[in-house]
Amino acid sequence: MKILTFDIGGTNIKYALCNEKFVLSERHSIPTEADKGGQELILKIISIIEEYKGIDRVAISTAGQVDSENGIVVYSTDNIPYYTGMMVKKIIENKTGIPTYVENDVNAFALGEARFGAGKGKSDFLCLSYGTGIGGALYLDNKLYKGMSSSAGEFGHMITHAGGKQCTCGGEGCYECYASTKALLESVNKRNSTNLNAFEIFEKENFTKPEIRSVIDQWIDEMIIGLINIIYIFNPPLIILGGGIINEDYVIDLIDRKIYNLLMTNYKDVNIVRSRLGNDAPLLGVAYEASNL
């Protein structure tokens, strides 16, 4: 079986071929150009699919809240305008004739980690992914918990600062306004009149500057605030963190050093780890589900 699998984020679209042994090949990454809206985004996906021959399944991990049974984006913030209500599965299947599976990106991340990564063999864990926003997923009793309207796990829109920054969801003071990778970039570049990207911030010549390090440390404190709230609500045995920024050792090490000193004693057994699969997790998660269509 040949599966073409996609991970649609607010910044980039990653895609690859996946075989029946769930080995990825021919990896690619292109700009999402999310500001052009949901319709243009899906047309871009279709044009990529049409470049390939002999595809048996299409698998799509995407930003936004997703009804995976019907392959519909039930809600999306303005990170991707005009995406809410997009019938992704129906549009792609009608255009290509290829059976298609669609899932929220962090749910896909959780599925990938459950089958092949840090969650393998675990019946209960939570996932958070830090990027343009902050996504979440709940893997409970060996399956995704998706809530009444396929929208559970929106950890990025917890209110951590009452009356705080305006969020793309329409609320104020959301967790992702302070603890996302986007929030870190905005804070560093605003304070230092720079135009650094996430990887450049952690390069030695920048990371060693006290004014940049202080912003990073404050940002990690914001991450910890949200994680503590989630730990107190769910009391999970395992939390898996994803997103490119989590690959920076300083981030996960400082979280590990600080958070356990702030938790009540009976919550300290939670294990907080990095994704084992990295960017492959959502690609593999939806590919696995697509293989069962």
Side-chain angles (χ1 to χ4, degrees):
M1 178 176 286
K2 187 185 290 186
I3 302 168
L4 186 57
T5 181
F6 293 85
D7 180 27
I8 302 171
T11 304
N12 294 304
I13 299 170
K14 300 176 183 69
Y15 62 99
L17 285 176
C18 182
N19 65 19
E20 65 279 358
K21 295 182 179 180
F22 300 100
V23 175
L24 299 175
S25 62
E26 297 188 33
R27 303 164 189 267
H28 300 276
S29 179
I30 61 173
T32 306
E33 299 179 302
D35 58 308
K36 293 183 178 180
Q39 187 67 41
E40 288 297 318
L41 172 57
I42 298 305
L43 290 175
K44 181 182 290 191
I45 297 297
I46 290 170
S47 70
I48 294 170
I49 296 168
E50 291 176 338
E51 293 174 4
Y52 289 82
K53 305 296 182 185
I55 298 298
D56 299 297
R57 299 285 189 274
V58 171
I60 295 179
S61 155
T62 181
Q65 299 165 9
V66 175
D67 169 3
S68 59
E69 184 175 344
N70 296 298
I72 299 171
V73 178
V74 295
Y75 180 75
S76 175
T77 68
D78 286 341
N79 285 335
I80 305 179
Y82 313 113
Y83 202 33
T84 298
M86 187 70 64
M87 302 174 73
V88 177
K89 174 181 171 70
K90 182 177 180 180
I91 292 169
I92 291 175
E93 289 184 344
N94 285 349
K95 183 66 176 176
T96 68
I98 303 172
T100 298
Y101 178 80
V102 186
E103 181 57 277
N104 163 267
D105 52 0
V106 190
N107 283 342
F109 166 49
L111 289 169
E113 292 292 335
R115 300 293 180 189
F116 309 105
K120 188 175 182 179
K122 308 295 185 183
S123 62
D124 299 275
F125 61 86
L126 307 181
C127 287
L128 285 91
S129 183
Y130 295 81
T132 305
I134 298 174
L138 299 89
Y139 192 84
L140 306 175
D141 196 20
N142 290 300
K143 59 183 180 294
L144 288 173
Y145 175 77
K146 302 189 71 173
M148 181 178 66
S149 59
S150 302
S151 304
E154 278 291 352
F155 300 139
H157 298 291
M158 299 184 298
I159 307 300
T160 57
H161 293 260
K165 297 177 182 178
Q166 187 74 37
C167 183
T168 56
C169 74
E172 295 178 342
C174 292
Y175 182 41
E176 69 178 43
C177 293
Y178 299 87
S180 64
T181 303
K182 179 182 178 182
L184 172 63
L185 291 175
E186 288 176 348
S187 295
V188 167
N189 289 323
K190 181 178 180 181
R191 181 174 296 187
N192 297 281
S193 300
T194 54
N195 191 30
L196 301 174
N197 63 38
F199 301 105
E200 289 169 341
I201 287 171
F202 285 90
E203 290 176 351
K204 186 176 180 179
E205 63 267 28
N206 297 312
F207 182 67
T208 54
K209 294 177 180 177
E211 64 272 20
I212 289 181
R213 181 76 68 86
S214 68
V215 175
I216 293 171
D217 288 353
Q218 183 178 356
W219 169 73
I220 292 173
D221 285 343
E222 295 287 355
M223 294 177 75
I224 289 170
I225 288 170
L227 288 168
I228 288 173
N229 286 334
I230 291 165
I231 290 166
Y232 283 155
I233 293 167
F234 293 101
N235 192 22
L238 173 66
I239 297 177
I240 304 172
L241 304 183
I245 202 77
I246 299 300
N247 292 325
E248 300 292 342
D249 289 339
Y250 183 79
V251 176
I252 196 74
D253 289 347
L254 191 55
I255 290 172
D256 197 57
R257 291 204 308 270
K258 283 190 170 186
I259 195 167
Y260 295 101
N261 293 326
L262 300 171
L263 289 168
M264 288 189 282
T265 302
N266 51 323
Y267 291 87
K268 291 180 185 289
D269 288 338
V270 60
N271 191 19
I272 302 172
V273 301
R274 262 193 294 234
S275 163
R276 190 172 298 166
L277 301 174
N279 290 334
D280 289 350
L283 293 170
L284 288 170
V286 285
Y288 182 87
E289 296 299 318
S291 72
N292 294 315
L293 290 176

